[in-house]
Amino acid sequence: HFSEWAVFANNATATGTLGSGVSVAANTETTINYGGFDLVVHTTTASTVTLSSYASVVTTMPSGYSALGFSAQAGFTLAIDGGGALIKAELTTPPLTTSAAALITGSVSAGCLQYDVDARAYNKIDIDTYTAGTKTIKVQLPKAGTYLFAAVSANAQIPTFYNKARATASTSVSLSFPGGFVLDVSTSSANTVTVNRASVSAHTDPSGKHNLGAYFSINQGTTQSVTATLKFTYSAGMSSSVASSLRFAYWDSGTSAWVFPSTGGSVDTSTRVVSQTTTHFSEWAVFGDGDDGMQESNVALNPASPSKCYAVDYDHTVGVMNCELTKVDGGANLRMYLLKGTSCPDANNFQMKTDLVTDNGQSRTICVTGDTTPEVGDGRYMIAVFAEGLSGAGSQTRFSLEVSNDFVCNASPARVAWSAAVAVVVLAASYIMA
């Protein structure tokens, strides 16, 4: 017969030790007590749940967030081994230290940040409650990972991973994303917004412009009126002449063209921020003028993203193309590969490569000429940088990359002006986001 039906999980209790696995049965809501605080877990298959201390904050928290601590840790790392889906992971923390609890007062609230150890990025998680009497925080952990806790100032931006839906309303919220993108947004009523970042677009760049490898697809849960400001912080290595020309444009599917809004755009070269107001979402990107070629500074490679791939659309009949890779810092070695076409090169598919770059400050150059394979000429060149020997989770090695049209190899000071048709750089590696 039909009526109201419900599914209830079984209940169980267990005693846990931080850093050690606890076995939980399938479809059983298990309360694991860690000697003063609890984790309630429900998985669809029998699993081993491990909750470990995360000792200290190693990556500076976003502006407006101050780390909260407990007596023995700054946060926790949740690991689940079993292959099933996580239905629930409700953590009630141990008491905050007295000094940490004192930070939560007036307009400052308790918060939780999901931390991507490899990308060194944060994503704000809404907490259930903060109990002042016990100085404890209750929060639903959405997945396995590392979680830190913070005192959050009123009106602080909300750090967000890409591909994460965020709630919006008639009151504007400010969402900050890894890699320097910020979206200030309000919608006519309760809604959600999701931002995806890509390094390349299916659409050809506008004539006379080069891209910055910064394409953003912005979507609402339900289409409705919106007021927003897009902001992007560009690389410090960019020349002032190119920086002053930067503008946002959106793809108009009706006309199959990139459109630069006639109003609402600006660039602040003192803060390196290009901005654009808008009342609609679609695919947006940052483009600029200039003849300085491509420069990327302090790009980080890590175990989750051990390589980066770039595309340069080249349009020259004079000179050579120099691609200079410089190791900034880190423990891994670097190598650069080049391939003409549309596929990212690697150790098994390339036409030119450098020797290993082993020392901080050391540079290696690929010079494409009329006598190399491939030859210099019109077309797309794919350039990939790989890190070899990353030491483990949380490790990173940074590099800078410059691509230029020169008269001779080895980056001669006598430069040939880049044509306006050059598409500067496309970062073809995906951005994280959990």
Side-chain angles (χ1 to χ4, degrees), residues 45 64 181 210 303 343:
T45 61
F181 182 64
H210 63 258
S343 299

Side-chain angles (χ1 to χ4, degrees), residues 71-142:
S71 61
Q73 59 273 125
F76 300 92
T77 297
L78 174 66
I80 300 176
D81 183 16
L86 176 64
I87 304 300
K88 180 178 183 179
E90 179 184 277
L91 175 67
T92 300
T93 69
L96 296 171
T97 64
T98 300
S99 59
L103 297 175
I104 304 171
T105 180
S107 61
V108 179
S109 60
C112 179
L113 293 174
Q114 183 181 3
Y115 178 56
D116 186 300
V117 175
D118 288 325
R120 303 185 183 184
Y122 291 103
N123 179 58
K124 187 172 184 290
I125 304 296
D126 292 334
I127 68 170
D128 292 343
T129 58
Y130 170 68
T131 304
T134 59
K135 297 183 287 188
T136 58
I137 298 169
K138 180 185 289 187
V139 60
Q140 306 296 323
L141 308 182

Side-chain angles (χ1 to χ4, degrees), residues 11-54:
N11 294 308
T13 60
T15 299
T17 300
L18 289 173
S20 298
V22 176
S23 297
V24 298
N27 294 313
T28 300
E29 193 164 285
T30 304
T31 300
I32 307 173
N33 181 269
Y34 289 93
F37 66 99
D38 296 327
L39 175 69
V40 182
V41 179
H42 177 188
T43 59
T44 58
T45 61
S47 303
T48 300
V49 175
T50 304
L51 188 69
S52 303
S53 290
Y54 194 82

